[in-house]
Amino acid sequence: MIVVKIGGNVLDKPERLQRFLIDFAQLPDPKLLVHGGGKIASTIGQRLGIASTMVAGRRITDAETLDLVTMVYGGLVNKQVVAQLQAAGCNALGLTGADANLILASKRQVGAVDYGFAGDVAGSQNINVGVLEAFFAAGLTPVCAPLTHDGKGSMLNTNADTIASVLATALAARYLVRLVYCFEKQGVLWDPEDDASVIQRINSQTYSALKADGVISAGMIPKLDNAFAALQQGVAQVLICEAEALASITEDYYSGTMLQLA
């Protein structure tokens, strides 16, 4: 089982996204795709006069922003991705966390920062694995938008890296799961300005040091936090790589940054 998350600038570039989706469609089944869409939401929000506020790589979601991301993530981005996968021969099914009660979350408690209508998933017990297995058995490939629900009628904005992590963790109880985060860079970099400065392996201890030194910061922090959480809860392997590397990944070869606990 492979769970792939796509985000970053790839979603903003039609030709690059199309190449990635063709590669994803050729992966063996069962597989699952999670997508983000932050920059697209920000761009459309500007047109509508809705300002974006980010803290430590996470979006502050007030009521207006919740409407925006529900439309953009669950509608525009999700259905464009699904349509392109159909063209590539992959029978995809677009979902949010509310569909088929896939992902139940709770509104984040207000602390030092009020994230508004942001959703936190307590654990893999809040993932409807049975319905995913039914989709796999029907020959369908789920494509998940970064939206959850609270079981009380409200949608919640949830970080796409978190969605990928909790889905991979829930599926790890029944499958050998490889989790791959694909984005515009070749991996986690020593120097953000040098695309060739890929850190090939990161373990828990080196991750803490890299954060303390500021090598890893902003939006990379929630990505790696979720990656290590997945490893701690049974996911077999987590890789962070460039979107173009997906087609070349095998059990014996990878390009990018491999994460490991020790």
Side-chain angles (χ1 to χ4, degrees):
M1 160 70 65
I2 186 166
V3 175
V4 180
K5 186 265 179 172
I6 184 67
N9 291 331
V10 179
L11 286 165
D12 301 326
K13 297 179 179 178
E15 291 184 2
R16 195 170 189 184
L17 177 62
Q18 184 179 37
R19 289 197 304 270
F20 165 81
L21 292 174
I22 289 171
D23 290 340
F24 176 82
Q26 294 173 350
L27 295 174
D29 293 324
K31 56 182 177 280
L32 185 150
L33 181 63
V34 178
H35 66 79
K39 292 186 178 179
I40 299 171
S42 298
T43 300
I44 293 177
Q46 288 177 348
R47 296 180 198 167
L48 299 175
I50 302 172
S52 294
T53 303
M54 307 290 287
V55 175
R58 297 182 185 270
R59 184 183 300 273
I60 303 297
T61 308
D62 59 15
E64 271 193 330
T65 302
L66 180 63
D67 287 346
L68 171 68
V69 297
T70 300
M71 290 187 292
V72 175
Y73 299 164
L76 178 64
V77 177
N78 188 264
K79 300 314 170 191
Q80 286 180 339
V81 167
V82 167
Q84 289 186 58
L85 284 174
Q86 297 293 357
C90 176
N91 195 6
L93 175 68
L95 300 164
T96 71
D99 296 300
N101 192 31
L102 180 61
I103 308 171
L104 187 65
S106 58
K107 186 174 179 289
R108 186 172 303 162
Q109 296 296 311
V110 177
V113 178
D114 183 357
Y115 285 96
F117 293 95
D120 289 324
V121 184
S124 59
Q125 71 273 13
N126 290 314
I127 306 299
N128 192 341
V129 177
V131 79
L132 287 175
E133 291 192 305
F135 293 147
F136 297 143
L140 297 169
T141 296
V143 178
C144 302
L147 295 162
T148 57
H149 77 122
D150 65 359
K152 303 172 185 176
S154 294
M155 298 296 292
L156 295 169
N157 182 21
T158 300
N159 181 273
D161 295 328
T162 301
I163 295 288
S165 176
V166 297
L167 287 172
T169 298
L171 289 164
R174 308 187 191 189
Y175 301 87
L176 181 68
V177 177
R178 171 183 282 178
L179 172 59
V180 182
Y181 288 102
C182 293
F183 68 150
E184 72 276 8
K185 300 292 185 180
Q186 294 181 34
V188 182
L189 305 178
W190 285 106
D191 178 0
E193 303 303 318
D194 181 3
D195 286 346
S197 64
V198 177
I199 307 171
Q200 292 189 330
R201 289 184 180 270
I202 300 175
N203 62 29
S204 300
Q205 185 175 355
T206 56
Y207 176 42
S208 297
L210 290 168
K211 279 197 296 185
D213 292 341
V215 174
I216 295 175
S217 61
M220 287 302 296
I221 292 176
K223 187 183 302 294
L224 268 71
D225 283 349
N226 283 296
F228 279 107
L231 288 170
Q232 290 163 357
Q233 296 175 71
V235 172
Q237 188 181 82
V238 180
L239 177 66
I240 298 177
C241 64
E242 190 175 29
E244 285 78 3
L246 183 65
S248 64
I249 296 171
T250 67
E251 289 186 8
D252 301 316
Y253 173 82
Y254 73 91
S255 173
T257 301
M258 184 69 70
L259 304 183
Q260 51 195 169
L261 293 178

